[in-house]
Amino acid sequence: MISRKFLMGRGREQLSISERKMIESSISSVFEIAARKPLVRHGESLDKSMLLLEGFVCRYKKDMTGARQAVEFHVPGDFLDLHGFGLKRLDHDIETISEAKVATFNHDVLTIITEQWPNLSKSLWFSTLLDASMHRKWIFSHGRLRAEGRIANFLCEIYVRLDMVGLVTDGAFHFPLTQPDLGEITGLTGVHVNRVLRSLRSQGFFAADRRSIQILDYEGLARLGEFNADYLLPPSTSAKRAP
Amino acid sequence: MISRKFLMGRGREQLSISERKMIESSISSVFEIAARKPLVRHGESLDKSMLLLEGFVCRYKKDMTGARQAVEFHVPGDFLDLHGFGLKRLDHDIETISEAKVATFNHDVLTIITEQWPNLSKSLWFSTLLDASMHRKWIFSHGRLRAEGRIANFLCEIYVRLDMVGLVTDGAFHFPLTQPDLGEITGLTGVHVNRVLRSLRSQGFFAADRRSIQILDYEGLARLGEFNADYLLPPSTSAKRAP
DNA sequence: CGGCTGCTTGATCAAGTTCAACTTTTGTGG
DNA sequence: CCACAAAAGTTGAACTTGATCAAGCAGCCG
């Protein structure tokens, strides 16, 4: 079922069988795309929205010099540009970080959902509210935390979000981000990310090999990064964290 | 009409007469509140949402030490906690900055709107998408701009948003924020805000008396703060900016 | 193989914080 | 309305964080 990870990561209301079927039948196409490719460019007009099925994707705003600030990091189960359904165009770019698999939903089908499927609509709205909640956490992180805290905070976020969609095994997960990527996310330079990562690694908070990370001390990272998963409103069945 | 500023600031779709009447009749109460008072505390469960009619309000996340990071600044016409309708509880606090006047909407009435008034629902959803868009601009500002740029950027934001709801006259507007307030918004200390403000003032970008600001060089501030009002998706009738 | 990108490390520099002191303004109670 | 306390505004000096500049090394892709 294509919507499975969406329901794991973003679903909070119970959906009926017919509602799930409606989601599945709303999909207009599924495609794969290589790493480091643009999915949406800011300002272009949109007539469909994309659900990420596999891989990692990031949204970016560019500064005057072309340097990028990431504004959201996406894991499987996330809609990538559902905001585009309401706004019709985006104020930022969307690009893959790893190779990815994506399902698309035409906006005219989403319009039918908003008109005839109130419970599903609410679920879509809810998903965009979660995006906003994640945005607020990033504002907090960038405004109040020092480099070490920001990085610890982001590691906690991705760990918890990947765990929600079943992509963490024994505290470890696939993590193909480069140090410059982390810099674009945390508002630091790649050089400084390098120094902080090493310090965190040497303190035993996590271990990393080429393309994956294992979290060794989630509690410690959460303390450093002042991280609390409540902002994700985790499904009530498991209000606990830190598996 | 109580929803007038909402329509000026957040309305993008044409609403019918009956839809406007529905909004007006959905209001359950209107109240006034003093400056520096809490409106919503994080985590508390919500059964109504508030529309700001007059005054300034801010949303905050607190760090470990109790220091606050503002995550959104609200002007008249903004819903303050519409996100609470979907999320049922907030991850942050909402507090008045000035004295304020607020209209409340019970969630059961909003539920009726989502079930029976698709066009109105979309308008409410759109308003929360604009909040997310503003959040993203703050992430960019905090992640990529230096102190001077961040402050210039915020001054542009508030100037444009207040202008949209008709609260700017000859480039001037009521502005009761203290320098520590600006620090909580921009992620800087009050001391540094002081130095930067003075530098901007002495360069002729704006003038300030006790409780108001007059923007003298919007273009210059926008350049400094890398500000572009597109992210607010201004009503198409006036895609122009910088009155 | 060659070149690009990322990773690593050191040295220097600049931005912004912290601490401290003092002045001005604002709000409150008598 | 005045006195006083609390908060905001201002300024300087020392200090810290992270950026910038620079250089060498290691993977990876074509």
Side-chain angles (χ1 to χ4, degrees):
Chain A
M1 203 176 65
I2 283 179
S3 61
R4 187 171 141 268
K5 284 201 169 63
F6 171 73
L7 296 170
M8 290 171 79
R10 299 296 185 113
R12 294 296 181 282
E13 315 268 338
Q14 288 298 348
L15 293 188
S16 68
I17 309 260
S18 62
E19 285 164 344
R20 291 186 191 208
K21 279 191 180 150
M22 179 61 195
I23 299 185
E24 295 292 323
S25 69
S26 299
I27 293 164
S28 68
S29 72
V30 173
F31 65 92
E32 303 194 13
I33 180 170
R36 311 289 169 181
K37 297 293 176 204
L39 279 165
V40 178
R41 270 183 247 270
H42 75 275
E44 82 188 7
S45 91
L46 301 170
D47 59 359
K48 56 186 171 47
S49 289
M50 300 181 282
L51 175 63
L52 181 61
L53 303 176
E54 292 170 22
F56 294 120
V57 167
C58 221
R59 313 205 217 175
Y60 300 98
K61 285 174 89 87
K62 284 200 181 74
D63 76 6
M64 226 165 47
T65 72
R68 304 190 300 184
Q69 172 64 46
V71 294
E72 190 168 5
F73 180 79
H74 285 298
V75 304
D78 288 0
F79 266 96
L80 298 178
D81 56 351
L82 190 50
H83 294 244
F85 172 53
L87 303 174
K88 290 305 165 206
R89 53 201 160 95
L90 294 183
D91 53 304
H92 54 273
D93 301 303
I94 304 182
E95 197 168 295
T96 57
I97 284 191
S98 66
E99 48 209 13
K101 191 168 157 189
V102 172
T104 65
F105 295 75
N106 286 334
H107 284 180
D108 45 17
V109 178
L110 295 180
T111 298
I112 291 171
I113 288 178
T114 61
E115 284 166 0
Q116 296 170 19
W117 298 77
N119 202 42
L120 265 188
S121 305
K122 207 163 171 185
S123 180
L124 296 179
W125 187 2
F126 182 87
S127 183
T128 63
L129 294 178
L130 268 191
D131 290 321
S133 187
M134 294 184 211
H135 290 345
R136 288 192 290 274
K137 201 220 54 175
W138 283 31
I139 294 170
F140 168 78
S141 168
H142 292 184
R144 281 290 165 264
L145 304 181
R146 316 271 85 230
E148 200 178 53
R150 287 191 214 173
I151 291 179
N153 186 292
F154 177 68
L155 290 177
C156 289
E157 170 183 337
I158 190 176
Y159 175 56
V160 169
R161 287 174 61 196
L162 287 174
D163 188 48
M164 285 172 72
V165 292
L167 292 173
V168 172
T169 310
D170 297 332
F173 49 89
H174 180 57
F175 189 76
L177 302 215
T178 65
Q179 292 175 0
D181 285 334
L182 284 172
E184 290 179 327
I185 287 169
T186 54
L188 302 165
T189 59
V191 172
H192 202 59
V193 167
N194 180 290
R195 300 192 225 263
V196 173
L197 280 183
R198 182 143 34 83
S199 155
L200 292 176
R201 245 183 289 142
S202 75
Q203 290 170 76
F205 287 112
F206 69 93
D209 70 9
R210 189 133 324 284
R211 293 171 185 289
S212 68
I213 278 193
Q214 179 167 35
I215 302 294
L216 300 174
D217 179 10
Y218 171 80
E219 294 298 339
L221 279 177
R223 210 175 311 116
L224 255 188
E226 307 200 14
F227 182 84
N228 180 325
D230 288 351
Y231 77 106
L232 293 172
L233 298 179
S236 45
T237 52
S238 65
K240 59 119 171 85
R241 263 305 96 225
Chain B
M1 204 175 67
I2 281 179
S3 60
R4 186 171 141 267
K5 284 200 169 63
F6 171 72
L7 296 170
M8 291 169 78
R10 301 296 186 114
R12 293 295 183 283
E13 316 268 339
Q14 288 298 347
L15 293 188
S16 68
I17 309 262
S18 62
E19 284 164 344
R20 292 184 190 208
K21 279 192 180 149
M22 180 60 195
I23 299 185
E24 294 293 322
S25 68
S26 299
I27 294 163
S28 67
S29 72
V30 172
F31 65 92
E32 302 194 12
I33 180 170
R36 310 291 169 181
K37 298 292 175 203
L39 278 165
V40 178
R41 271 182 247 270
H42 75 275
E44 82 187 6
S45 91
L46 300 171
D47 59 0
K48 55 184 171 51
S49 289
M50 298 181 284
L51 175 63
L52 181 60
L53 303 175
E54 290 170 23
F56 294 121
V57 168
C58 222
R59 314 205 217 175
Y60 299 99
K61 286 175 90 87
K62 284 200 180 72
D63 76 6
M64 227 165 46
T65 71
R68 303 189 301 184
Q69 172 64 45
V71 294
E72 190 168 5
F73 180 78
H74 284 298
V75 303
D78 288 359
F79 267 96
L80 300 177
D81 56 351
L82 190 51
H83 294 244
F85 172 54
L87 304 174
K88 290 305 167 206
R89 54 199 160 93
L90 295 183
D91 53 305
H92 55 273
D93 301 304
I94 304 181
E95 198 168 295
T96 57
I97 282 190
S98 65
E99 47 209 12
K101 191 167 157 188
V102 173
T104 65
F105 295 75
N106 286 333
H107 284 180
D108 46 16
V109 178
L110 294 181
T111 299
I112 291 171
I113 289 179
T114 61
E115 284 166 358
Q116 297 171 18
W117 298 78
N119 203 41
L120 265 188
S121 305
K122 205 160 174 188
S123 180
L124 295 179
W125 187 4
F126 181 88
S127 183
T128 62
L129 294 178
L130 268 192
D131 290 320
S133 187
M134 294 184 213
H135 290 345
R136 287 191 290 274
K137 202 221 51 177
W138 282 33
I139 293 170
F140 167 78
S141 167
H142 291 184
R144 281 290 165 263
L145 304 182
R146 320 268 82 233
E148 200 177 54
R150 287 191 213 172
I151 290 179
N153 187 290
F154 177 68
L155 290 177
C156 290
E157 170 181 338
I158 188 176
Y159 175 56
V160 169
R161 288 174 62 196
L162 286 173
D163 189 48
M164 285 171 72
V165 292
L167 292 173
V168 173
T169 310
D170 297 331
F173 50 88
H174 180 58
F175 189 76
L177 304 215
T178 65
Q179 292 176 0
D181 285 334
L182 283 172
E184 290 179 327
I185 287 169
T186 54
L188 303 165
T189 59
V191 171
H192 201 58
V193 167
N194 181 290
R195 301 191 225 264
V196 173
L197 279 183
R198 183 141 34 83
S199 154
L200 292 175
R201 245 183 287 142
S202 75
Q203 290 171 75
F205 287 112
F206 68 91
D209 70 8
R210 190 136 322 289
R211 291 167 185 289
S212 68
I213 278 194
Q214 179 167 33
I215 302 295
L216 300 173
D217 180 10
Y218 171 80
E219 294 299 339
L221 279 176
R223 211 174 312 116
L224 254 187
E226 305 200 14
F227 182 85
N228 180 323
D230 287 353
Y231 77 104
L232 293 172
L233 297 180
S236 45
T237 52
S238 64
K240 59 117 175 87
R241 262 308 96 221

